[in-house]
Amino acid sequence: KPAARAQLSHRPGLISLSSALILDLPAPSCAVFRVEMGASVEGGLMISLEQLSGMVRLGESETLEFKTTTRELREAAHTLCAMVNHRGGGVLFGVTPGGVVRGQQVSDHTLEEISREIGEIEPPIFPTIDRIYVDSEREVVAVSVMQGPVRPYMYKGRAYRRVGNTNQVLSGDEYNRMLLERVHGQTR
């Protein structure tokens, strides 16, 4: 089975607005952003760590979930599977369920574990995995996905959907409907 590919950013700096992690913000300013580590990003709106903290204060939602550490990786994979079956979103490792940005120690091995667990989602997904430096020893890892083009997606043999800030197993009817939409879309 192919492993999930991830785009990695390793440079400390600011966060730019682009298209991977969808946040529920008051209309009409619903924002889509990709964490991009670097001092400058061409064509992007720069967001500071303080602004990220402000967005985190909005709390978990249909498109955003917090995990204190990567020890919650399996639960995060359920969430990413549900998000890719819905409208996309992201998981922030290093943020408590209450919205406190703590970070965690992150190594290349940590990123490999994340990628390996995401590789259990079928068909394969290709998330963006980025690092946001909290201090010299701790980082937040942001894993974001767009809505999948070949839904339904399954994690370890089960398909999930996102409802509010929860994950639910897809019913047989929902699974079949998504599968029919996929097959119908491919035969056009």
Side-chain angles (χ1 to χ4, degrees):
K1 166 171 39 174
R5 287 186 299 184
Q7 300 171 0
L8 302 177
S9 297
H10 297 284
R11 300 174 310 248
L14 299 174
I15 301 166
S16 78
L17 206 58
S18 74
S19 66
L21 184 59
I22 301 169
L23 292 178
D24 288 330
L25 297 175
S29 62
C30 186
V32 177
F33 79 95
R34 172 165 184 253
V35 181
E36 185 73 51
M37 307 314 292
S40 66
V41 177
E42 295 177 25
L45 174 64
M46 302 307 283
I47 301 172
S48 68
L49 185 58
E50 291 78 27
Q51 289 169 314
L52 175 63
S53 295
M55 288 183 270
V56 166
R57 279 193 287 279
L58 294 173
E60 293 182 322
S61 68
E62 190 174 84
T63 57
L64 184 63
E65 183 152 309
F66 308 145
K67 296 296 180 194
T68 305
T69 70
T70 51
R71 284 190 295 265
E72 300 173 272
L73 192 49
R74 286 192 176 105
E75 295 87 357
H78 285 108
T79 298
L80 291 166
C81 179
M83 289 174 170
V84 80
N85 277 329
H86 192 53
R87 52 180 207 158
V91 174
L92 299 176
F93 292 100
V95 179
T96 69
V100 177
V101 177
R102 289 198 176 143
Q104 69 172 62
Q105 290 185 337
V106 177
S107 67
D108 288 342
H109 179 72
T110 306
L111 300 175
E112 290 167 6
E113 286 178 329
I114 292 169
S115 187
R116 191 172 340 176
E117 196 65 32
I118 291 169
E120 295 291 325
I121 297 173
E122 295 179 342
I125 65 170
F126 305 100
T128 301
I129 301 175
D130 293 292
R131 301 164 79 163
I132 307 165
Y133 292 82
V134 175
D135 61 32
S136 63
E137 296 179 8
R138 297 174 301 139
E139 303 168 43
V140 169
V141 177
V143 182
S144 52
V145 295
M146 299 300 288
Q147 178 184 35
V150 290
R151 301 178 305 155
Y153 291 83
M154 297 173 57
Y155 172 68
K156 295 192 175 182
R158 297 193 87 174
Y160 299 89
R161 67 184 172 117
R162 192 78 173 158
V163 178
N165 64 350
T166 66
N167 304 316
Q168 297 180 359
V169 175
L170 276 178
S171 70
D173 288 343
E174 290 172 305
Y175 181 86
N176 289 334
R177 179 187 54 78
M178 279 187 184
L179 194 56
L180 284 171
E181 287 173 359
R182 179 169 101 187
V183 170
H184 180 69
Q186 290 175 347
T187 59
R188 288 184 189 188

